[in-house]
């Protein structure tokens, strides 16, 4: 009788290897499915005393797993996931199940869940955040599916997850594709925070003439403050990095931001649900605009350089910029939270939004000091109420209300494009304005299309012959 393993891993790339080692470090035996004998051997070589091995071929892999089998799939999202399921499921037995940990679209997860349930196989879609380092030493993990399936893998997932004050950053966040939905929104917020940071870097660097080292020091200070987190911290590291020639490496990196699509999916779904998330949308568009490098270069050549370099000293505007960045971070999280609340209802996934904020507190890319206060607000506020008006953020958006408008004004004055910053301000101002000019839009719609309108002084639906008068 060959030795049986407790955990199967398919996808032995960087993430799969790191997570396998993490699982094995917690006392579970792990077997990886490799695509060649060499790769199986090189995976087994990682063992160094751990119970970890590699094997080739689905039959041997399945035969060497303890029943009911737990198989994690960590391959690129899309067709590769379906290919793994097609290859392995014929060998599997009712009660076995998959944990799929790529950045899959939640609709694919729901389709796979239904397809496998028909065969008696379990499926958990789980968003894994934190990159290679997180996978190796503690990722944040967002699971969706049934409580029955989840409770079978809960001990392993809790053992390997990042911890916040001893609390594992993993949870069952809802039904069906909820885990991948929450991970998608996590990535949308990730895009927004990264773009907000990039815009402030641009303001400080090109606008206020600060060096990369000075900006790195500032980000370090922000990292230790109330909105600091992983992304502010890596910004300092990036800004301090030199290349072999002694130059700041960041200055040599081509300014075209790529994307794999999760930010765009967040915006697409928010549009479908009618939930405004303009900071995230702006961050997606800003990456697209950055890709139009040739046009940007030609335009600047034809029209002249815009940026003015005589901004005020940073010290004069430091408090204002600090508060404005703090405000725009909270606004970005608030948009993601409002999308999760709506999606949980509209998509029938029953997303536990407070629990989502809880698993984001450590291990993931958007972890920051803001997540514990945000979790507390989400847990206590009424559904549908914006977290921006919560008591916890009263000073930030009340006493310091002028900071974000002032930072936008400074960016405009210095010709710094700030799409995510400007969108954050427009969102906040709009969300706190009782009467917006949508009355005029309704009147225009009724004028040219007889689309009707409602009135503020009496109930009903109205149409008027507006015409020239
Ligand atoms: C994470 C990251 C991870 C990955 C993104 C990058 O949570 O660990 O979000 O999933 O870095 O896919 O996305 P883009 O390539 O679209 O920037």
């Amino acid at each position: 009788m060959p030795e049986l393993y407790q955990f199967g891993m398919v996808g032995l790339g960087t993430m799969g290897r790191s997570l396998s080692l993490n699982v094995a470090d917690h006392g579970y035996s792990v077997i990886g499915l490799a695509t060649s004998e060499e790769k199986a051997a090189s995976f087994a070589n990682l063992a160094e005393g751990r119970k970890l091995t590699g094997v080739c071929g689905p039959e041997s892999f399945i035969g060497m797993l303890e029943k009911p089998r737990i198989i994690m799939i960590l391959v690129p999202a899309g067709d590769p996931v379906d290919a793994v399921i097609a290859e392995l499921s014929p060998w599997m037995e009712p009660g076995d199940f998959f944990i799929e940990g790529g950045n899959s679209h939640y609709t694919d997860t729901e389709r796979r869940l239904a397809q496998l349930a028909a065969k008696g196989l379990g499926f958990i879609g789980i968003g894994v955040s934190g990159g290679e380092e997180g996978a190796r030493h503690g990722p944040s993990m967002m699971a969706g599916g049934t409580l029955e399936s989840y409770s079978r893998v809960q001990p392993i997932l809790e053992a390997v997850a990042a911890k916040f004050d001893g609390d594992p950053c993993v949870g069952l966040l809802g039904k069906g594709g909820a885990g991948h939905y929450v991970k998608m929104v996590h990535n949308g917020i990730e895009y927004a925070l990264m773009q907000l940071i990039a815009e402030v870097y641009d303001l400080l660097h090109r606008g206020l003439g600060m060096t990369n080292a000075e900006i790195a020091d500032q980000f370090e200070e922000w990292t230790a403050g109330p909105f600091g987190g992983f992304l502010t911290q890596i910004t300092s590291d990036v800004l301090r990095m030199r290349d072999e020639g002694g130059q700041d490496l960041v200055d040599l990196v081509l300014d075209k931001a790529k994307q794999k699509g999760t930010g765009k999916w967040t915006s697409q779904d928010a549009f479908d649900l009618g939930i405004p998330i303009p900071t995230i949308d702006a961050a997606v568009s800003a990456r697209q605009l950055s890709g139009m490098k040739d046009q940007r270069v030609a335009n600047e050549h034809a029209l002249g350089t815009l940026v003015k370099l005589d901004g005020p000293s940073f010290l004069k505007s430091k408090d204002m910029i600090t508060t404005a960045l703090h405000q725009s971070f909270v606004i970005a999280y608030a948009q993601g939270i409002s999308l999760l609340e709506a999606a949980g209802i509209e998509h029938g996934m029953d997303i536990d939004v407070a629990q989502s904020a809880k698993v984001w507190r450590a291990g993931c890319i958007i972890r920051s000091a803001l997540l514990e206060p945000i979790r507390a607000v989400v847990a206590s506020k009424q559904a549908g109420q914006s977290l921006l008006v919560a008591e916890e953020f009263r000073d930030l958006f009340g006493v310091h209300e002028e900071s974000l408008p002032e930072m936008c004004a400074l960016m405009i004055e210095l010709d710094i494009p700030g799409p995510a910053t400007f969108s954050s301000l427009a969102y906040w101002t709009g969300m706190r304005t009782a009467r917006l000019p949508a009355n005029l839009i309704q009147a225009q719609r009724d004028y040219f299309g007889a689309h009707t309108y409602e009135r503020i002084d009496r109930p009903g639906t109205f149409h008027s012959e507006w015409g020239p008068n």
Side-chain angles (χ1 to χ4, degrees):
M1 181 83 180
E3 188 178 4
L4 296 180
Y5 289 78
Q6 294 163 298
F7 191 85
M9 177 66 79
V10 185
L12 305 183
T14 317
M15 290 293 284
R17 280 199 308 273
S18 302
L19 202 59
S20 297
L21 288 173
N22 187 351
V23 172
D25 278 346
H26 286 88
Y28 295 94
S29 51
V30 179
I31 182 161
L33 174 63
T35 48
S36 69
E37 293 297 345
E38 296 76 51
K39 286 184 179 158
S42 108
F43 183 70
N45 273 339
L46 300 173
E48 294 177 354
R50 302 174 187 92
K51 278 190 170 172
L52 178 139
T53 194
V55 73
C56 247
E59 194 178 356
S60 324
F61 177 66
I62 295 291
M64 289 172 77
L65 276 165
E66 246 177 52
K67 295 182 194 176
R69 302 174 178 91
I70 301 173
I71 299 173
M72 180 146 200
I73 306 175
L74 268 182
V75 299
D79 294 342
V81 176
D82 290 312
V84 169
I85 292 172
E87 184 186 20
L88 294 181
S89 51
W91 303 96
M92 293 167 73
E93 294 165 87
D96 292 348
F97 65 96
F98 291 111
I99 308 172
E100 198 269 298
N103 272 333
S104 292
H105 196 276
Y106 73 96
T107 53
D108 283 337
T109 303
E110 306 222 312
R111 168 178 58 77
R112 289 168 187 143
L113 232 159
Q115 172 197 329
L116 291 167
K119 297 181 179 171
L121 298 177
F123 189 83
I124 293 178
I126 189 162
V128 180
S129 180
E132 181 183 355
E133 181 64 18
R136 181 67 187 88
H137 299 291
S140 163
M141 291 178 287
M142 299 144 242
T146 63
L147 184 58
E148 193 205 346
S149 298
Y150 182 73
S151 49
R152 300 226 316 256
V153 285
Q154 193 171 358
I156 304 186
L157 295 178
E158 290 188 350
V160 302
K163 308 290 181 304
F164 180 89
D165 281 351
D167 235 357
C169 288
V170 58
L172 181 65
L173 304 179
K175 295 191 225 160
H180 280 134
Y181 195 91
V182 174
K183 176 60 172 41
M184 175 187 84
V185 175
H186 164 284
N187 282 26
I189 297 171
E190 172 185 305
Y191 276 47
L193 301 182
M194 290 169 75
Q195 180 63 28
L196 290 165
I197 288 173
E199 291 171 13
V200 167
Y201 149 73
D202 201 18
L203 172 66
L204 301 188
H205 196 45
R206 287 196 304 148
L208 305 187
M210 289 169 71
T211 65
N212 290 322
E214 287 166 342
I215 303 171
D217 289 346
Q218 184 50 54
F219 271 93
E220 197 171 300
E221 192 182 314
W222 284 332
T223 298
F227 62 92
F230 175 74
L231 287 169
T232 55
Q233 179 226 307
I234 65 164
T235 303
S236 305
D237 297 343
V238 165
L239 291 170
R240 289 207 176 98
M241 181 81 177
R242 301 280 174 90
D243 86 326
E244 321 78 60
Q247 260 182 288
D248 290 357
L249 184 54
V250 70
D251 291 341
L252 303 173
V253 176
L254 181 66
D255 54 326
K256 281 166 88 167
K258 300 270 170 69
Q259 49 186 318
K260 293 200 202 83
T262 43
K264 182 185 74 180
W265 292 348
T266 310
S267 289
Q268 284 172 330
D269 206 66
F271 272 117
D272 287 344
L273 296 180
I275 300 298
I277 53 162
T279 309
I280 296 171
D281 301 337
V284 176
S285 301
R287 289 200 191 188
Q288 292 159 349
L289 193 145
S290 80
M292 305 172 92
K293 174 80 175 172
D294 293 347
Q295 273 194 51
R296 292 190 285 114
V297 170
N299 293 346
E300 183 170 325
H301 187 70
L303 302 170
T305 302
L306 263 179
V307 84
K308 303 181 188 86
L309 291 172
D310 53 355
S313 82
F314 175 64
L315 277 184
K316 240 179 93 192
S317 41
K318 177 175 167 172
D319 288 350
M320 175 273 282
I321 293 173
T322 301
T323 306
L325 187 58
H326 189 170
Q327 290 171 321
S328 49
F329 266 38
V330 176
I331 289 169
Y333 285 113
Q335 292 175 10
I337 297 284
S338 72
L339 178 57
L340 287 182
E341 286 177 343
I345 299 165
E346 294 295 321
H347 295 318
M349 293 188 293
D350 286 346
I351 294 176
D352 186 335
V353 184
Q355 171 87 344
S356 305
K358 197 170 169 202
V359 305
W360 290 345
R361 291 178 306 172
C364 67
I365 303 296
I366 65 167
R367 64 184 185 260
S368 79
L370 282 169
L371 278 161
E372 176 48 24
I374 286 176
R375 181 209 61 75
V377 171
V378 173
S380 62
K381 78 179 182 64
Q382 285 168 359
Q385 184 193 20
S386 171
L387 68 82
L388 301 178
V389 296
E391 198 53 48
E392 283 80 349
F393 300 115
R394 231 355 107 71
D395 274 1
L396 185 64
F397 289 100
V399 181
H400 299 288
E401 192 165 36
E402 72 291 344
S403 300
L404 189 50
E406 281 179 13
M407 186 160 87
C408 290
L410 183 59
M411 285 174 152
I412 291 166
E413 193 189 317
L414 297 173
D415 293 325
I416 298 293
T421 308
F422 298 160
S423 300
S424 300
L425 175 63
Y427 177 81
W428 166 234
T429 314
M431 286 296 282
R432 53 149 303 155
T433 298
R435 184 160 170 85
L436 289 171
N439 54 328
L440 184 58
I441 291 170
Q442 282 297 80
Q444 289 167 331
R445 291 178 69 245
D446 192 50
Y447 185 121
F448 61 67
H451 294 300
T452 73
Y453 60 94
E454 290 170 285
R455 299 177 58 114
I456 58 171
D457 56 348
R458 43 190 140 112
T461 304
F462 301 87
H463 167 64
S464 299
E465 292 303 323
W466 298 89
N469 48 45

